Amino acid sequence: MSEISYLEAKELTLEDYEDFIENEGFNPNQAIAATFEDSVLMMKKSNKVYVSVMINLSILSLKKNFIPDYLFEKQESLPKLEDLNEEDQSNYDLDINNLNQLLSNQNFEIEKDEEYRLRVNMLLS
């Protein structure tokens, strides 16, 4: 089985998030956390998936004017993806630009949850 692409990881992230909102009745903050936890195993296996999930969950939350502290704190240390195919590169560049624009607007609150942030760090280690 070949490695999952950036775009496939993005699409799975968005589908998971929407599923939690529409079918489980989660609020956006709960859906972000549930989607993150659903993605952890894939994220640990692939840097490309890790970056895709972190970027796209950040974008989803920022569009709702918040970002969980565990996502916000990882933004500066996200590795830059290289050697992507043309479609992945195009999507990655668009997402990075979108994320940077949303972050620069500073029209969001950082949702702090020390216990959950520790859980995230444990899950990713």
Side-chain angles (χ1 to χ4, degrees):
M1 184 175 146
S2 65
E3 183 182 18
I4 187 169
S5 72
Y6 177 88
L7 184 56
E8 289 170 324
K10 176 182 178 173
E11 289 170 350
L12 288 171
T13 302
L14 299 177
E15 287 172 15
D16 255 11
Y17 174 81
E18 289 300 324
D19 185 52
F20 284 117
I21 296 282
E22 293 171 10
N23 297 326
E24 303 294 332
F26 286 13
N27 68 36
N29 202 347
Q30 293 168 322
I32 294 290
T35 303
F36 173 84
E37 290 204 21
D38 264 9
S39 305
V40 166
L41 288 176
M42 287 190 322
M43 291 168 62
K44 290 177 88 168
K45 293 179 183 178
S46 167
N47 201 40
K48 194 183 310 177
V49 172
Y50 173 80
V51 170
S52 181
V53 170
M54 297 301 276
I55 287 172
N56 287 290
L57 287 179
S58 297
I59 290 170
L60 286 168
S61 64
L62 287 166
K63 285 182 176 179
K64 299 289 186 182
N65 299 320
F66 78 96
I67 187 167
D69 56 357
Y70 61 91
L71 290 176
F72 185 73
E73 292 171 358
K74 303 277 189 215
Q75 295 308 308
E76 288 186 11
S77 63
L78 282 179
K80 181 169 173 39
L81 295 180
E82 297 176 354
D83 300 324
L84 298 174
N85 66 37
E86 189 175 326
E87 184 178 33
D88 274 358
Q89 188 67 52
S90 174
N91 275 279
Y92 172 68
D93 291 342
L94 285 171
D95 290 342
I96 287 291
N97 289 336
N98 191 9
L99 177 61
N100 287 336
Q101 183 176 359
L102 289 166
L103 286 170
S104 70
N105 289 343
Q106 297 182 348
N107 188 26
F108 59 88
E109 288 188 34
I110 299 173
E111 297 281 329
K112 296 183 187 259
D113 185 338
E114 182 65 24
E115 286 183 36
Y116 195 73
R117 189 175 62 74
L118 292 173
R119 176 174 168 73
V120 165
N121 290 334
M122 181 197 69
L123 288 170
L124 290 175
S125 63

